[in-house]
Amino acid sequence: MKSAWIAPLLIIATAATAIAANPEWDQATRLYNFGDYKGALTAFRKIADKTPSEPTVHYMLAQCYKNSGNTKQAIVELEWISRSTSDKRVKGPADALLAQLRPSSGGGATTAGAHSSTSASAPGADFPPLKNFIGDSAAQTVGAAAKKGWAPCRGSDCLNFGTSGWHHEEVAGHPPTDMWMSWKVENDEGTRTGSYSQAHIGELIKEGKDVGPCPVCKGSGWVRSK
């Protein structure tokens, strides 16, 4: 089954030479090729946190989600690509995969449209909103999602739009538009601080550490409000 994805992987690798030559990318794709989709997902998330606007990474995240059984989140990643890039080397495979995964799609690929980095509109009524803030406001983002029937995840320790304390920080390698959440953990080992960007929405943060996708919202950060 793995061989079926060799061609898309080669296409995507050539579409982002700088990333493909990165040791972190090599490790992530190696995990993917060996069928360790959970490990690959974690590895690609780390790359996405450093290069959140790179469609190649979102494509591989979609592949990892798909092969891990999280079709909804795979569609969220593919919708982002469709709206955010015109590079056919990435958009073509993404649209083809999206057409396969979307329910009642009739086999047609999604239509690309304008996408703002501050837009948080849902890709469709059946899928969670994207992981971006509207107007740098958590309240505004939650309000827009509520109109579509979504609410912040209620899972314990899940980082989501309902968590208070979102703010801007200047972090090397990240665009200034990113929003961040900071933690200060005090225990027997001393005091430790850390921050996570909105790319980690839908993840469980315990004792200031990211321990993986939230089982309640399946890593999206959202649950149905009605």
Side-chain angles (χ1 to χ4, degrees):
M1 293 296 291
K2 297 177 195 173
S3 61
W5 298 110
I6 290 177
L9 281 170
L10 290 175
I11 293 171
I12 296 306
T14 57
T17 304
I19 290 182
N22 189 302
E24 292 182 347
W25 177 270
D26 290 341
Q27 174 64 15
T29 53
R30 186 177 299 110
L31 291 169
Y32 179 90
N33 288 330
F34 276 102
D36 183 0
Y37 302 121
K38 182 177 180 180
L41 184 61
T42 299
F44 280 119
R45 279 202 195 105
K46 291 180 180 179
I47 298 173
D49 198 36
K50 297 177 181 178
T51 56
S53 299
E54 173 53 57
T56 306
V57 183
H58 288 275
Y59 179 82
M60 291 311 303
L61 285 173
Q63 290 282 17
C64 291
Y65 280 122
K66 172 188 176 295
N67 286 289
S68 299
N70 191 345
T71 302
K72 287 188 176 181
Q73 192 59 33
I75 291 174
V76 170
E77 298 292 345
L78 294 169
E79 286 276 3
W80 185 93
I81 295 171
S82 183
R83 296 170 185 266
S84 303
T85 184
S86 58
D87 189 337
K88 294 182 179 179
R89 293 172 297 180
V90 183
K91 189 175 182 303
D95 281 350
L97 182 57
L98 182 60
Q100 296 174 24
L101 299 181
R102 293 176 81 184
S104 304
S105 64
T110 184
T111 301
H115 176 76
S116 169
S117 61
T118 57
S119 171
S121 58
D126 295 331
F127 306 108
L130 301 179
K131 298 181 181 181
N132 295 314
F133 284 81
I134 295 177
D136 295 341
S137 168
Q140 189 175 349
T141 306
V142 171
K147 294 179 181 178
K148 297 179 180 293
W150 294 94
C153 179
R154 304 180 185 91
S156 175
D157 300 313
C158 178
L159 178 62
N160 56 66
F161 290 98
T163 309
S164 61
W166 287 105
H167 61 279
H168 282 293
E169 283 185 35
E170 289 198 14
V171 179
H174 290 267
T177 53
D178 273 3
M179 299 287 281
W180 295 82
M181 182 66 64
S182 299
W183 278 268
K184 182 177 181 180
V185 180
E186 297 181 4
N187 52 36
D188 294 338
E189 299 176 356
T191 301
R192 180 171 55 84
T193 59
S195 297
Y196 290 95
S197 74
Q198 72 235 28
H200 291 269
I201 285 175
E203 310 259 336
L204 295 176
I205 310 297
K206 295 183 178 181
E207 292 295 314
K209 297 181 180 179
D210 185 342
V211 297
C214 172
V216 177
C217 64
K218 308 300 183 184
S220 71
W222 299 99
V223 293
R224 278 297 189 184
S225 59
K226 54 185 177 181

